[in-house]
Amino acid sequence: MQALTRPLARQVAARTVNRTASYSQSSTALVQRTTPLPPAKAKRRHTRNFASSRYDDGSARSAVINVLNNIASKREVQQYLAQFTSVSSQQFAVIKVGGAILTDYIDQLCASLRNLNQMGLFPVIIHGAGPQLNRLLEEAGVEPKYQEGIRITDGKTLGIARKLFLEENLKVVEALESWGVRARPITSGVLMADYKDKETFQFVGEVNQVNVGSIKAAIADGYIPVLTCMAESEDGQVLNVNADKAAAELARALVPLKIVYLSEKGGIHDKETGKLVEAINLDEEYDEYMKKPWVIHGTRSKIRDIKTLLDDLPRSSSVAIIHPESLERELFTHSGAGTLIRRGTKLHQASSLADFEAVSPAMLKKALVRNREGLDSAAVVDRYLDKLGSSSFRAYFDENMEALAIVLPPTSGSPTQLAHLSTLTMTRSAWLSNIADNVFQSLKRDFSKLAWTVKQDDENLTWFSEKADGSIAKKGEVLFWYGIESPEEVRELMSEFVQHGRQMFGDVNLESQLHRAAAAAERIRAGANTLIGNRPVAQQQQARAFSTSARPATAAFSVQQRRGYATTNPNPPLGIKNSEKDYPSKVALIGARGYTGQALIDLLNRHPNMDLCHVSSRELAGKKLKGYTKKDITYENLSPDDVRRMAERKEIDCWVMALPNGVCKPCVDALNDSGHKEALVIDLSADYRFDSAWTYGLPELVQRSKIASATRISNPGCYATAAQLGIAPLLPYLAPSPGHPTVFGVSGYSGAGTKPSPKNDVENLTNNLIPYSLTDHIHEREISAQLGTEVAFIPHVAVWFAGIHHTISLPLAQQMASRDVRNLYQDRYHGERLVTIRGESPSVKTIAGKHGVEIGGFAVHSGGKRVVVNVTIDNLLKGAATQCLQNMNLALGYAEYEGIPEDK
């Protein structure tokens, strides 16, 4: 079976990860060995005699290629290197570098660029500096203003930005030269622009012309050109230009083979699955992606802008969004890295031989034989087509038959429903132009389970591994599969392969037939009766061919299974993958007097992208807001009519309702009537927790993609958050009714609010514990509704200020050990930054001021069928304000934990 190009499912095999890791280490070592210079962070410019320092370009180039061979086959490296050197140097690649990359990944970037340069490649670099500019403007007391996500650039902002961009440009150049790469700063004369609505955006430009002369001159002189995203008008006025749009215009002018956007996220991530989107074929999938609920904010505009760019470029052009550590992998492997966006190639499908009307029979046969010619190959293909004529199949191919895949669907009544990739073949051109990626994407879409086989000495074995969930190798053959979740199905599949090898699929496997025909032809040529020892020569040759291994043969067969069967965290944190916006959101806080409002104000003050614009409190109206240092704010008393007018003018991106239960409805109705449907509303009361039109915002238990695409979010209660997190992992193991979990909860008196009452009277609480709402508490209903099972909840209030302690008794349907219970919780909350699992019971004394939840205890009754779990939470933080900010981050397009301090 021949190799495809990039995979749709890059679930990297363990050996691939190891190879990549060893590559990263050896790449750095290579740079340090061949460059007698300190790293870039030494922050001083190094000079060297480049004429004499190119001491051995041939050996340096060979060394770099040897390093690349650790992540790709020799054939892949040679193919891509030949492609890149077949065009003029400035048409190799345009690489857009974000400001965060310059801050956090400059050494990785320089190491990769030096390796490219050693091979005679000269990428054109254009960089931004958004995060650095935000920081400088804040220090200068300049309040950032945005319109439609575009920074309004006044004179003061432009002056700061111009100085910053020149400094950052020089830093990049100096960093590259410290790594032994000649680089030239190009800070003017390339990007020409018109004002973009000068009245609204002031000194913001739209590029209307690109002068490439200085870029070509730099490359001709042996320098990598480094550009900023500042442009100039006809009269010489400097204008600020969005870095992505500047890179796009540069690409339009240069028409490079590769366009690369470096991102700390490493690509676009599907928020519904949490997985990397590895490829987007715009011709077939653009409309589909634009309809996805999670394609919002920066992701939506990025995909739209890239489509606009690629519509103006040759069909072979593509845009890759990758992490800087993956630059060589993206450029020199079929599998690539990050997210590849391209126009794609229209694919045809066939389910009968008559459906191949778009191609001639001769073209079809030629494609099936391709690169596998032998004495009997034509006859083998004829017999294969005869068999196919009476079989059920589905074929995928492009108009020129550059790529062809034929899949045999699972037979009727098959218990495994496993499809078989009977043959897959493509030209070198298909590899390099990514046609085969379209093919495999279609296979993944149409067949949930698929198996295929390749020779173990196939030079693209690693590439096949990356598309599979598991594999088994035996006697020179490898079986790959994806989509099989059941351990029993995997064992059966492996057992059959161990017994029968590739012939387990019978005569419908074209690859097996062609290899058998080739082996038979070899025997005929060699002479079946010519013996060496006790075996014919051809038999020995065949044995050697099938025992060639891509890795040391340590056993008769080996197995790779990369997908675990035990689900750990089915809803993992999105983290930085959720980050789509690099500009602030305007926030209004309605009901800022209470403890929760004050806690939220403190968090918003720490957040780099939350711009608190209005705080409303009837009691505090007219007074200055304390604790918010970004700007001066005065309390207002906003009425529902005020809220409606502000919403109609789209002044606010996020409204937070921090009002008592039963109070916020008039404001919410006003927002609903305003027509500003995009505005986010988060309610901290219980008013909308049972409304199906609102999304319940408990990210650890509710699908994060649902929260990320919501505009109406009900923030969970403090008691309810802790109780649900303490019960959820054991839900499948609970005893049936009439038994049910019981939660004994004790809260500090801040949970009773600021309005004086016996429940927040310290004197009354001293040496005391006050129970209240012993049945039918609103949180009892909330916990039961969200978990889908009856839960008893008994709340109490104690003398401490902040913090909740739950003791939860859970009846079990089967006997369990304490260790097993703890493992369930550790698996379920794996990767959750705001949930800590402990062996011992957590203390309420240590939870106050922390932003997460602690779960522990895990005491099991002597009978093994009842477990007691303890949970602690700060009711004002993860029980309210921190959780609110977590939901705001998800729904507004920022990293999930941005602005939330890490607990120590």
Side-chain angles (χ1 to χ4, degrees):
M1 184 174 293
Q2 297 187 358
L4 291 171
T5 163
R6 307 165 53 101
L8 177 66
R10 298 173 189 150
Q11 299 175 15
V12 183
R15 61 178 176 271
T16 308
V17 173
N18 292 337
R19 291 178 69 189
T20 304
S22 66
Y23 157 70
S24 298
Q25 295 165 2
S26 58
S27 174
T28 303
L30 171 65
V31 173
Q32 292 172 344
R33 282 198 304 270
T34 60
T35 307
L37 297 169
K41 58 187 176 184
K43 294 185 179 179
R44 62 188 181 91
R45 189 168 188 169
H46 301 277
T47 59
R48 55 182 295 184
N49 185 335
F50 282 93
S52 61
S53 68
R54 293 188 178 272
Y55 45 88
D56 190 351
D57 279 353
S59 62
R61 175 188 172 99
S62 297
V64 172
I65 291 176
N66 287 336
V67 170
L68 292 176
N69 287 337
N70 286 326
I71 61 166
S73 70
K74 183 177 180 181
R75 181 180 179 185
E76 282 179 292
V77 174
Q78 290 174 340
Q79 285 176 341
Y80 284 105
L81 190 55
Q83 183 191 31
F84 295 151
T85 55
S86 67
V87 296
S88 58
S89 294
Q90 72 272 10
Q91 290 185 297
F92 159 49
V94 169
I95 301 178
K96 182 260 176 178
V97 182
I101 303 300
L102 300 182
T103 301
D104 300 329
Y105 301 100
I106 188 66
D107 284 341
Q108 292 93 325
L109 174 65
C110 290
S112 296
L113 293 178
R114 185 182 194 283
N115 286 343
L116 297 179
N117 196 230
Q118 288 281 16
M119 290 184 287
L121 300 174
F122 292 85
V124 179
I125 310 300
I126 182 167
H127 68 84
Q132 296 92 319
L133 181 56
N134 289 338
R135 188 165 53 250
L136 286 180
L137 291 175
E138 183 176 347
E139 292 173 359
V142 178
E143 181 182 348
K145 296 180 180 179
Y146 290 83
Q147 183 78 21
E148 302 171 8
I150 300 170
R151 186 195 302 274
I152 297 174
T153 306
D154 59 15
K156 186 172 183 180
T157 299
L158 182 66
I160 294 172
R162 176 63 173 162
K163 181 174 181 292
L164 169 68
F165 279 29
L166 291 175
E167 291 173 349
E168 292 298 312
N169 185 270
L170 186 59
K171 286 180 183 177
V172 176
V173 171
E174 289 181 339
L176 285 169
E177 291 193 348
S178 75
W179 283 81
V181 180
R182 293 201 294 179
R184 177 175 292 176
I186 301 178
T187 57
S188 64
V190 174
L191 301 176
M192 307 302 293
D194 291 325
Y195 285 93
K196 178 182 176 67
D197 188 355
K198 185 176 181 180
E199 184 177 339
T200 301
F201 298 104
Q202 300 188 44
F203 296 106
V204 174
E206 286 187 326
V207 176
N208 58 17
Q209 182 180 333
V210 178
N211 302 320
V212 299
S214 57
I215 295 174
K216 293 182 178 180
I219 293 175
D221 291 341
Y223 292 87
I224 287 181
V226 181
L227 289 74
T228 73
C229 57
M230 302 298 282
E232 300 156 63
S233 67
E234 273 188 354
D235 57 4
Q237 174 62 55
V238 174
L239 298 174
N240 186 17
V241 177
N242 176 272
D244 283 354
K245 294 185 181 298
E249 294 303 327
L250 195 59
R252 283 189 177 90
L254 294 173
V255 193
L257 291 173
K258 302 292 291 188
I259 306 163
V260 179
Y261 289 9
L262 296 184
S263 163
E264 64 271 28
K265 292 199 303 180
I268 295 173
H269 291 80
D270 186 328
K271 294 180 185 177
E272 293 179 348
T273 64
K275 295 181 179 179
L276 178 74
V277 176
E278 293 164 356
I280 298 177
N281 298 309
L282 295 172
D283 282 0
E284 297 183 358
E285 298 179 299
Y286 177 74
D287 291 338
E288 177 186 342
Y289 270 93
M290 289 296 105
K291 294 176 184 176
K292 290 182 181 292
W294 57 268
V295 179
I296 52 179
H297 307 310
T299 298
R300 188 176 190 85
S301 59
K302 188 176 289 290
I303 295 175
R304 183 181 60 241
D305 290 346
I306 290 174
K307 180 182 186 303
T308 302
L309 167 63
L310 292 178
D311 284 346
D312 294 337
L313 295 177
R315 184 167 287 275
S316 58
S317 298
S318 62
V319 174
I321 305 171
I322 62 169
H323 193 279
E325 292 177 341
S326 305
L327 185 55
E328 289 100 326
R329 183 173 179 80
E330 168 61 33
L331 295 175
F332 291 98
T333 69
H334 296 326
S335 56
T339 300
L340 180 73
I341 304 178
R342 67 284 176 93
R343 290 171 64 188
T345 299
K346 182 174 177 56
L347 293 177
H348 301 275
Q349 291 191 29
S351 55
S352 70
L353 294 180
D355 292 339
F356 283 100
E357 58 185 17
V359 298
S360 66
M363 185 182 294
L364 174 60
K365 291 181 181 180
K366 182 179 179 181
L368 290 170
V369 174
R370 182 159 42 226
N371 296 331
R372 296 172 291 189
E373 292 84 356
L375 293 178
D376 198 32
S377 58
V380 169
V381 167
D382 286 337
R383 291 193 295 270
Y384 176 77
L385 289 174
D386 288 342
K387 180 75 174 178
L388 210 59
S390 59
S391 303
S392 175
F393 71 90
R394 189 177 300 176
Y396 303 82
F397 58 97
D398 65 296
E399 188 175 16
N400 296 321
M401 207 54 91
E402 299 269 347
L404 169 65
I406 298 178
V407 178
L408 304 179
T411 57
S412 178
S414 168
T416 63
Q417 291 298 298
L418 181 66
H420 166 224
L421 183 55
S422 172
T423 189
L424 186 143
T425 173
M426 68 208 53
T427 65
R428 176 177 177 274
S429 174
W431 293 356
L432 298 178
S433 60
N434 303 304
I435 296 176
D437 215 12
N438 292 28
V439 174
F440 192 76
Q441 201 161 348
S442 297
L443 300 186
K444 287 286 247 182
R445 180 193 65 216
D446 295 342
F447 299 98
S448 59
K449 298 180 182 180
L450 186 72
W452 68 95
T453 58
V454 299
K455 298 284 290 178
Q456 195 171 3
D457 58 359
D458 191 300
E459 62 184 10
N460 294 295
L461 195 67
T462 299
W463 184 88
F464 283 110
S465 302
E466 294 173 351
K467 296 196 299 297
D469 293 339
S471 65
I472 178 171
K474 172 183 175 288
K475 294 183 178 178
E477 300 174 347
V478 185
L479 169 71
F480 290 105
W481 66 85
Y482 71 71
I484 305 178
E485 301 286 352
S486 165
E488 292 75 17
E489 288 184 35
V490 171
R491 282 194 291 269
E492 290 176 9
L493 184 69
M494 292 193 300
S495 175
E496 188 172 0
F497 181 72
V498 169
Q499 292 181 34
H500 305 292
R502 300 173 76 169
Q503 295 188 34
M504 64 184 283
F505 294 114
D507 290 337
V508 293
N509 188 305
L510 178 60
E511 316 303 322
S512 178
Q513 294 182 53
L514 286 171
H515 283 299
R516 288 203 303 271
E522 183 66 26
R523 285 196 299 272
I524 293 172
R525 282 196 297 267
N529 297 321
T530 304
L531 297 177
I532 296 180
N534 296 321
R535 288 195 301 172
V537 170
Q539 186 177 346
Q540 287 201 359
Q541 291 173 334
Q542 182 184 7
R544 282 197 297 271
F546 276 76
S547 63
T548 302
S549 176
R551 54 185 180 272
T554 56
F557 60 89
S558 60
V559 180
Q560 286 280 337
Q561 177 68 26
R562 286 167 294 283
R563 175 179 293 171
Y565 296 113
T567 299
T568 53
N569 188 343
N571 181 34
L574 291 177
I576 195 174
K577 299 173 186 176
N578 193 66
S579 179
E580 299 179 350
K581 289 168 64 176
D582 58 0
Y583 56 92
S585 294
K586 297 185 180 298
V587 179
L589 177 58
I590 310 297
R593 177 177 179 272
Y595 294 127
T596 297
Q598 293 299 313
L600 183 57
I601 288 169
D602 181 61
L603 287 172
L604 296 177
N605 193 44
R606 300 168 183 259
H607 199 291
N609 283 308
M610 295 297 179
D611 180 14
L612 183 60
C613 299
H614 298 274
V615 290
S616 178
S617 170
R618 187 179 58 216
E619 293 87 350
L620 300 176
K623 295 183 179 180
K624 293 292 185 181
L625 173 65
K626 297 180 180 179
Y628 191 77
T629 60
K630 293 182 180 180
K631 60 184 176 182
D632 291 334
I633 296 179
T634 301
Y635 282 101
E636 304 169 77
N637 182 17
L638 296 176
S639 68
D641 287 337
D642 294 329
V643 169
R644 180 185 292 104
R645 284 191 290 269
M646 292 167 62
E648 287 172 348
R649 295 192 296 266
K650 299 185 177 181
E651 294 179 6
I652 299 299
D653 301 305
C654 176
W655 298 83
V656 179
M657 304 294 165
L659 297 165
N661 293 343
V663 176
C664 74
K665 187 177 186 302
C667 287
V668 172
D669 288 345
L671 289 169
N672 290 338
D673 294 342
S674 72
H676 189 197
K677 297 180 180 180
E678 301 82 10
L680 172 65
V681 182
I682 298 185
D683 177 29
L684 273 61
S685 77
D687 292 7
Y688 295 96
R689 291 176 190 159
F690 306 96
D691 189 331
S692 61
W694 286 59
T695 299
Y696 190 73
L698 181 47
E700 288 77 13
L701 297 182
V702 175
Q703 196 68 29
R704 284 175 159 95
S705 61
K706 186 176 181 182
I707 298 173
S709 59
T711 57
R712 299 291 184 270
I713 297 175
S714 57
N715 216 58
C718 49
Y719 276 127
T721 294
Q724 290 176 72
L725 292 173
I727 296 171
L730 280 174
L731 278 176
Y733 305 93
L734 292 179
S737 297
H740 53 73
T742 300
V743 181
F744 182 92
V746 185
S747 172
Y749 65 82
S750 61
T754 57
K755 185 177 180 179
S757 78
K759 289 186 291 185
N760 58 20
D761 184 340
V762 175
E763 184 176 344
N764 184 48
L765 290 169
T766 301
N767 298 321
N768 197 5
L769 184 68
I770 301 178
Y772 64 100
S773 300
L774 297 180
T775 62
D776 299 312
H777 189 284
I778 187 69
H779 287 317
E780 181 175 88
R781 179 185 169 203
E782 180 182 346
I783 298 164
S784 301
Q786 292 299 324
L787 293 179
T789 189
E790 184 181 355
V791 176
F793 172 57
I794 310 164
H796 301 70
V797 62
V799 71
W800 62 79
F801 177 70
I804 287 175
H805 188 284
H806 280 331
T807 297
I808 306 175
S809 178
L810 301 113
L812 302 175
Q814 62 190 53
Q815 290 185 342
M816 298 182 74
S818 176
R819 179 184 299 175
D820 296 330
V821 175
R822 180 179 175 182
N823 287 342
L824 278 175
Y825 281 75
Q826 287 176 329
D827 288 346
R828 177 58 185 81
Y829 297 123
H830 176 72
E832 296 288 356
R833 208 187 94 182
L834 300 182
V835 179
T836 300
I837 307 301
R838 302 189 180 282
E840 69 279 4
S841 294
S843 168
V844 72
K845 182 178 181 179
T846 59
I847 199 65
K850 290 187 176 180
H851 295 270
V853 174
E854 295 186 359
I855 305 175
F858 307 115
V860 176
H861 185 266
S862 57
K865 298 188 73 174
R866 182 170 68 89
V867 61
V868 177
V869 175
N870 293 127
V871 185
T872 59
I873 187 174
D874 188 313
N875 51 292
L876 301 178
L877 297 179
K878 179 58 176 170
T882 301
Q883 187 140 268
C884 176
L885 183 57
Q886 191 178 1
N887 286 322
M888 291 171 69
N889 281 333
L890 287 169
L892 291 171
Y894 302 115
E896 181 175 346
Y897 301 119
E898 192 166 354
I900 300 175
E902 290 198 43
D903 292 333
K904 297 180 180 179

